[in-house]
Amino acid sequence: TIIEVPLNSPDPFTSISTLREAYGETAIVGAGTVLRAEDVARVADAGGRIVVSPNFDAEVVRATKRCGLISVPGVLTPTEAFAALDAGADALKLFPGDLLTPKVVGAMRAVLPPETAVVVTGGVSVENAADWLAGGATGLGIGSALYKKGKAVAEVAADARRFSEAAVAAQAERAA
């Protein structure tokens, strides 16, 4: 379980700290939408353990690794994917998923090192989550499909259960 607080949200470093205190034993807490290397140290100071970006910036990856954090830059092409891995990325965020298909994920997995974690983000829904996982994604980044301002807690919980059920079904299908 990973909880990512976007840096473009209100008071993100306080949110990271609060979430780390509450869930640090059961979840990896950190920051998303990290665009500048100088923000990485602030994430670490807040107790974050992961840095996720919508893009690949080698300086952000290197700063993340210097701070001992997990680096997950956004990539769209194999060229970006290999450059990110060469810079030290721990996993890859395929973004935006709206521009991809599960077949594209499978094709990229075929050329990436087999241990590479690939997380599809952007365009992931309960309806297509199993398809992404069956296509080769090792994880899914879920944002607005899970939570939008004003959405009731019960609705968020129900959607989270549906995402979890889709992931379990995809894992069972892979194992079969």
Side-chain angles (χ1 to χ4, degrees):
T1 301
I2 299 171
I3 302 172
E4 169 193 328
V5 178
L7 289 191
N8 59 355
S9 64
D11 206 5
F13 300 106
T14 299
S15 296
I16 291 167
S17 180
T18 301
L19 287 165
R20 176 68 192 262
E21 288 176 28
Y23 302 106
E25 298 299 317
T26 58
I28 297 170
V29 177
T33 318
V34 180
L35 303 175
R36 294 177 184 79
E38 57 267 19
D39 287 330
V40 174
R42 295 182 69 198
V43 172
D45 290 345
R49 294 177 39 212
I50 189 168
V51 167
V52 182
S53 300
N55 63 313
F56 164 60
D57 181 316
E59 286 304 313
V60 171
V61 172
R62 287 192 279 273
T64 301
K65 298 315 297 173
R66 279 193 301 271
C67 286
L69 307 181
I70 300 165
S71 173
V72 187
V75 301
L76 186 61
T77 67
T79 300
E80 290 176 322
F82 282 105
L85 292 172
D86 287 345
D90 296 292
L92 302 173
K93 171 183 171 176
L94 287 181
F95 178 78
D98 287 333
L99 296 177
L100 303 169
T101 66
K103 283 187 174 186
V104 172
V105 175
M108 287 185 72
R109 299 277 320 167
V111 298
L112 291 170
E115 69 277 5
T116 305
V118 175
V119 180
V120 176
T121 303
V124 175
S125 66
V126 169
E127 293 76 26
N128 66 21
D131 294 335
W132 286 117
L133 294 167
T138 50
L140 304 172
I142 305 163
S144 61
L146 183 60
Y147 176 78
K148 290 181 181 149
K149 187 175 182 177
K151 190 173 183 179
V153 172
E155 288 180 81
V156 174
D159 285 346
R161 276 190 295 281
R162 290 179 30 195
F163 272 112
S164 180
E165 290 165 1
V168 168
Q171 285 178 323
E173 188 174 310
R174 269 194 224 177

